[in-house]
Amino acid sequence: MDPTRDTAEKRDLRERARAFFQENRPSDPGFKLPQTFLEVESEAQFLWLKAWQKQVYGAGLLGVEWPTAYGGKGLPSGSQRVVAEEMGRAGVPFIVNRIGLDWAGPTILAVGTEEQKQRYLRNILSCDEVWCQGFSEPGAGSDLASLRTSAVRQGDHYIVNGHKVWTTQALWADFMILLARTDPSAPKHAGISYFLFPMKSKGVSVRPLVKMTGEGGFNQVLFEDALVPASCLLAGEGDGWRLAVMTLAFERGASEGSATGGALAAGGEVARLVALAKEVSRDGRPASEDPVMRDRIAELAIEEEALLASALRARVPGLVEERPLALPFLGKLVSTEFGQRVAAVGQELEGPLAQYAFGAERAAGGGHFQRAYMNSFGFTIGGGTSEIQRNLVGERILGLPKST
């Protein structure tokens, strides 16, 4: 983004953010860091990233658009994106409490009671409390409304039983945004409720899952007669599906309200491709001199710029009048698939060296793109698969009939 187009307030914020990230870049922790918040598998990684988030929040650079009453700065819309741009430019580590900051927090801010906002939001920003998401189940992924986890009212509590899966950061989480069925007799979309569930409750067990990279990050969560206070219900009974759709819109970037501005991880993946092309050889010469690979990388560089331009265009009402939701709905689909293609080209550049895993002595580029490619499927699946995203674009943006 051209900084000259910023307001004076945003220019000041940009300068402060740029200076902070330049002067406070964390040193190497001495152990492997995850590429994104989906891969946090060890306590050492988690605590290191938690300390980094606390430092960024202490500098006044997280939740800058949230009201001051809840720990934010009350700045105008678009301010947090300024910080996110500077984070990406600096290549600093990602913010770990992403589910709290970008999904749970905005939902609580939109529909929570004043008591709930005061109770949860500030601690989300400071990373004093970390959140996970309890939506998917073994039999309810893309068909989320088929979920079977139950919550039965008993006095001033609900008794929860069920099984959630693919639960990122459940090992470290203090709270979960939980979907559970409170009315089994109602139509499947109507009988679901949304809870701010305390993960330290008795009757909750977390079982880590190992991904194809050999890393952790995802978990199963089992509930066996776990008690949750009725005060942890968000909105009312039966409002769960409406709130889930709201949360998913925040997750997919289709709604504003993120406390990170969409800052996911250090950017520069195409620049990393260029560096790799100079490092590896094809047919006895640097891959950077291969005309086919040069063309492939150039195409990705152009697409990267187009994605950045589209993100800016989506926030200019006059440029999106005909279909104001088209770019926000497309954002998650195109950006995750773009990342997957970049990682695939990285492995193609490496040729036979792509067989070496991350960290192996002979791995080109440290094996970054092998790891990135396998991790990329967590993003093309999570938050609604690419197939689901295409259905949403077809039905809600283009007005096509629903598939049967």
Side-chain angles (χ1 to χ4, degrees):
M1 180 177 179
D2 181 358
T4 62
R5 295 186 177 182
D6 291 342
T7 63
E9 191 172 32
K10 288 181 181 177
R11 280 197 299 273
D12 177 67
L13 177 63
R14 185 179 296 280
E15 290 170 5
R16 287 197 299 108
R18 184 171 297 178
F20 173 81
F21 292 126
Q22 286 176 347
E23 296 167 8
N24 295 275
R25 179 189 302 276
S27 57
D28 187 338
F31 51 80
K32 179 184 69 174
L33 284 175
Q35 291 182 319
T36 74
F37 74 102
L38 292 183
E39 292 94 46
V40 181
E41 63 174 348
S42 73
E43 187 175 22
Q45 291 175 337
F46 171 70
L47 292 177
W48 191 90
L49 290 163
K50 182 175 182 178
W52 169 240
Q53 178 174 327
K54 283 182 170 290
Q55 190 177 356
V56 176
Y57 176 62
L61 297 175
L62 275 182
V64 300
E65 297 174 28
W66 287 13
T68 56
Y70 312 127
K73 297 296 181 183
L75 297 183
S77 176
S79 299
Q80 191 66 59
R81 200 163 294 278
V82 167
V83 177
E85 289 165 1
E86 294 306 316
M87 282 193 74
R89 181 177 287 111
V92 294
F94 61 85
I95 298 300
V96 71
N97 197 13
R98 183 72 186 270
I99 294 171
L101 292 163
D102 289 359
W103 310 344
T107 306
I108 295 169
L109 193 58
V111 301
T113 65
E114 182 62 23
E115 182 181 1
Q116 288 170 331
K117 293 174 186 178
Q118 293 286 353
R119 167 63 186 84
Y120 299 112
L121 294 178
R122 190 181 300 269
N123 287 342
I124 288 174
L125 291 171
S126 66
C127 209
D128 285 333
E129 292 173 344
V130 173
W131 288 66
C132 64
Q133 182 187 42
F135 282 21
S136 294
E137 297 182 7
S142 295
D143 185 15
L144 183 58
S146 295
L147 65 88
R148 300 176 62 183
T149 295
S150 64
V152 179
R153 182 72 181 254
Q154 188 175 87
D156 58 357
H157 285 77
Y158 287 84
I159 302 174
V160 178
N161 285 279
H163 183 183
K164 297 293 180 177
V165 74
W166 314 124
T167 313
T168 302
Q169 295 188 9
L171 271 177
W172 325 114
D174 300 286
F175 288 91
M176 169 190 281
I177 44 176
L178 170 69
L179 293 182
R181 192 166 300 284
T182 49
D183 185 354
S185 65
K188 66 179 185 178
H189 291 83
I192 299 170
S193 297
Y194 193 116
F195 294 91
L196 311 176
F197 185 90
M199 287 291 288
K200 309 307 181 189
S201 301
K202 186 178 179 181
V204 178
S205 57
V206 179
R207 300 178 183 177
L209 299 171
V210 178
K211 298 182 292 185
M212 59 183 168
T213 59
E215 297 173 297
F218 292 145
N219 304 273
Q220 299 184 77
V221 182
L222 281 73
F223 304 88
E224 298 178 80
D225 293 331
L227 294 180
V228 56
S231 60
C232 293
L233 178 69
L234 191 62
E237 280 197 12
D239 283 330
W241 186 254
R242 174 177 67 89
L243 300 185
V245 170
M246 179 186 294
T247 299
L248 289 170
F250 289 126
E251 180 178 351
R252 295 163 179 165
S255 293
E256 293 287 338
S258 160
T260 68
L264 183 63
E269 289 298 276
V270 174
R272 192 187 288 265
L273 267 185
V274 173
L276 179 66
K278 295 175 180 178
E279 175 186 342
V280 299
S281 297
R282 288 173 68 89
D283 300 324
R285 59 179 180 170
S288 57
E289 297 178 9
D290 183 300
V292 174
M293 296 313 300
R294 290 173 67 89
D295 186 64
R296 298 278 298 281
I297 295 171
E299 286 181 353
L300 291 171
I302 292 168
E303 188 173 352
E304 185 177 59
E305 287 300 313
L307 288 172
L308 293 172
S310 290
L312 296 175
R313 177 188 169 204
R315 286 157 183 82
V316 181
L319 298 179
V320 292
E321 285 179 317
E322 292 185 9
R323 292 193 174 102
L325 291 177
L327 289 174
F329 267 95
L330 281 166
K332 191 264 185 190
L333 171 65
V334 296
S335 62
T336 57
E337 293 196 346
F338 171 73
Q340 198 168 85
R341 289 198 304 278
V342 170
V345 171
Q347 292 185 96
E348 187 176 344
L349 273 172
E350 295 177 15
L353 293 176
Q355 67 186 304
Y356 291 103
F358 174 82
E361 185 177 347
R362 295 189 61 187
H368 170 84
F369 285 112
Q370 291 89 311
R371 188 184 182 202
Y373 182 71
M374 289 188 282
N375 281 332
S376 71
F377 291 92
F379 290 102
T380 56
I381 295 172
T385 64
S386 291
E387 291 76 17
I388 291 292
Q389 300 305 310
R390 287 183 168 84
N391 282 344
L392 289 173
V393 171
E395 294 166 8
R396 301 188 186 182
I397 307 302
L398 302 178
L400 300 176
K402 286 195 174 187
S403 57
T404 56

